[in-house]
Amino acid sequence: MTLADTAVPNGAMYKPTLLFLDDERRVLSSMRAMFRRDYHVFVADNGQEALEIVERENVDVVISDQRMPKMTGVEFLTKVKSRCPEAMRILLTGYADLEAIEASINEGEVFRYLMKPCPPDDLKKAIAMAVEAARSSDADVAPAEDAPKEAAELIPFPGKHKAPPRGATVHSLPSARQRKTPAAAQKAAPRRGSAQPPRSAPPVQAADDAAVDLLVLSRDPALHKAIQDAAEDRTIHGSVSVEEALALLGSHPIGVMITDLTAPDSDIESLTKTLKQEVPELVAIVASERSDAHTLIGLINEGQIYRFLLKPVSRGQCRLWVSSAVRKFAELAGSESAIARHRVAAPAKAAEGAKLFDNLRGAFSRLRARLTGEEA
């Protein structure tokens, strides 16, 4: 049995499902050869065909190229987010396109942004983590009662169906349409025959929206004012240095943090990544007067930043994203499975300034306790 196989209550086995979108058939052939042993693999060479697969099949993870005719990877993943939000999304591209990187954060909300050529082990690890996150979400949702009994199929190329090997025991999976069941039915049992048992304790209740504090780390008065205007009656804590921000994080229930990457402080990027690792409920928005591809890709993969604000920020956009970030915090604080969908990658190397945070693990733990209501 491979790590991709999952036992289900009746003793059967099934494999998670991946969908690769790329306009180069050789890339699709390579992906199919690399992953077909451990996963059911669907491939498509255009966005529309890929969307039809997403709507028809029970896809766990979608991996898309960016530069394609008619529909870009970000456009496709944004549609996937809308039509099948439980599917994890990965962008795999050969171009560090700043516009695409920003859109992948703000519109596609990708789990990972990977550059080609991506080492096979890195790609496998990213997909395995995405599958784990998808399954964690599945444990909270019930299967449709009328789910089909037929075996899942492997599609090596669009339109060419191939059944599983004769004699193989494959657990049937509900289709995308069938899995969209009413909320009452979703609470009944884990979806897709997940082997994960129901949690014995109810999920921690998230803090009330109005009680969520925000932290702004910036030396730009205009950004502080924009966030203050956007936050309405929520409590805003302002800081101009990492040290000041850490003191505020240690003493207040801050659920949303807005950091200014253009501030002359080399520890800001490290702080953003470290906080996501230590306090996964915290929602991070980063702002900057300019985009830096390398920095933003690192913040996606190692910091799971929620939004990127290009300065000067508009009041309307700022208000929209602050409100959305507060809702995202409430979602994360109330669900371990939601946190799993935003799990960060291990840093490729020790982040600059990381030693600054080594003696603050206790403070981060206390912040988590306040945010989740576990503080005594």
Side-chain angles (χ1 to χ4, degrees):
M1 184 178 77
T2 68
L3 291 176
D5 293 321
T6 295
V8 293
N10 63 2
M13 304 300 297
Y14 74 79
K15 294 179 179 180
T17 299
L18 311 180
L19 167 61
F20 290 92
L21 170 61
D22 198 298
D23 60 340
E24 295 187 46
R25 304 258 315 184
R26 64 174 184 80
V27 173
L28 296 177
S29 296
S30 175
M31 294 297 105
R32 180 187 59 173
M34 186 183 304
F35 290 100
R36 65 183 178 184
R37 178 172 177 265
D38 293 337
Y39 302 92
H40 289 298
V41 178
F42 289 76
V43 298
D45 59 10
N46 67 84
Q48 186 55 45
E49 195 161 21
L51 285 174
E52 292 173 2
I53 294 173
V54 167
E55 293 186 340
R56 184 181 72 240
E57 305 296 339
N58 198 26
V59 178
D60 293 287
V61 182
V62 179
I63 305 96
S64 176
D65 187 30
Q66 168 60 11
R67 294 194 177 183
M68 295 177 294
K70 297 184 179 180
M71 187 185 301
T72 68
V74 168
E75 290 171 341
F76 166 68
L77 293 177
T78 301
K79 291 179 184 293
V80 171
K81 185 187 74 168
S82 174
R83 300 184 189 190
C84 186
E86 61 268 41
M88 301 298 293
R89 300 172 295 278
I90 294 175
L91 196 66
L92 177 63
T93 177
Y95 303 91
D97 185 327
L98 283 172
E99 184 177 347
I101 296 171
E102 292 175 19
S104 72
I105 299 168
N106 296 334
E107 300 170 23
E109 294 184 12
V110 300
F111 181 65
R112 292 291 183 270
Y113 192 110
L114 303 177
M115 294 296 298
K116 295 178 180 177
C118 181
D121 285 348
D122 291 350
L123 180 57
K124 289 178 180 178
K125 288 177 182 177
I127 289 177
M129 189 176 288
V131 166
E132 182 182 357
R135 288 182 177 175
S136 178
S137 298
D138 293 342
D140 295 335
V141 184
E145 293 182 1
D146 59 347
K149 305 302 181 184
E150 59 197 10
E153 292 183 323
L154 173 71
I155 298 184
F157 279 97
K160 297 181 181 180
H161 296 253
K162 180 180 179 182
R166 181 173 296 178
T169 306
V170 181
H171 182 67
S172 60
L173 305 179
S175 69
R177 293 188 181 90
Q178 290 163 330
R179 69 186 175 215
K180 295 173 182 176
T181 56
Q186 290 178 351
K187 296 178 182 179
R191 186 178 53 175
R192 300 182 191 164
S194 170
Q196 300 181 26
R199 295 185 179 90
S200 57
V204 175
Q205 295 298 313
D208 181 79
D209 280 1
V212 174
D213 288 9
L214 281 68
L215 170 66
V216 181
L217 171 52
S218 175
R219 297 185 182 181
D220 181 0
L223 180 61
H224 280 273
K225 187 176 187 309
I227 301 300
Q228 186 71 57
D229 292 343
E232 299 175 338
D233 59 348
R234 297 187 179 92
T235 301
I236 308 295
H237 302 277
S239 61
V240 296
S241 69
V242 168
E243 290 78 6
E244 191 176 358
L246 287 170
L248 290 167
L249 286 162
S251 56
H252 298 280
I254 293 167
V256 177
M257 182 177 69
I258 301 95
T259 57
D260 189 348
L261 295 179
T262 55
D265 194 326
S266 61
D267 293 329
I268 288 180
E269 183 182 349
S270 179
L271 171 65
T272 304
K273 295 177 181 179
T274 301
L275 276 171
K276 195 60 181 179
Q277 292 168 354
E278 300 291 330
V279 191
E281 294 84 3
L282 190 140
V283 178
I285 296 175
V286 297
S288 179
E289 294 172 349
R290 59 187 179 277
S291 299
D292 177 83
H294 177 75
T295 297
L296 287 182
I297 291 173
L299 286 168
I300 292 171
N301 296 336
E302 300 170 30
Q304 276 291 286
I305 56 174
Y306 182 63
R307 291 291 184 265
F308 173 75
L309 281 170
L310 188 62
K311 296 167 57 182
V313 301
S314 71
R315 181 174 179 178
Q317 188 70 75
C318 193
R319 175 170 295 181
L320 177 66
W321 282 349
V322 166
S323 297
S324 178
V326 170
R327 291 195 299 271
K328 174 59 70 172
F329 162 75
E331 173 191 331
L332 294 175
S335 171
E336 292 180 8
S337 61
I339 288 175
R341 295 181 63 84
H342 297 270
R343 186 166 295 140
V344 293
K349 61 179 181 179
E352 286 186 35
K355 291 183 179 179
L356 178 66
F357 314 117
D358 285 345
N359 61 342
L360 296 171
R361 307 303 177 195
F364 293 151
S365 296
R366 290 192 295 275
L367 174 60
R368 280 205 75 186
R370 281 195 298 273
L371 294 181
T372 58
E374 295 175 354
E375 187 177 47

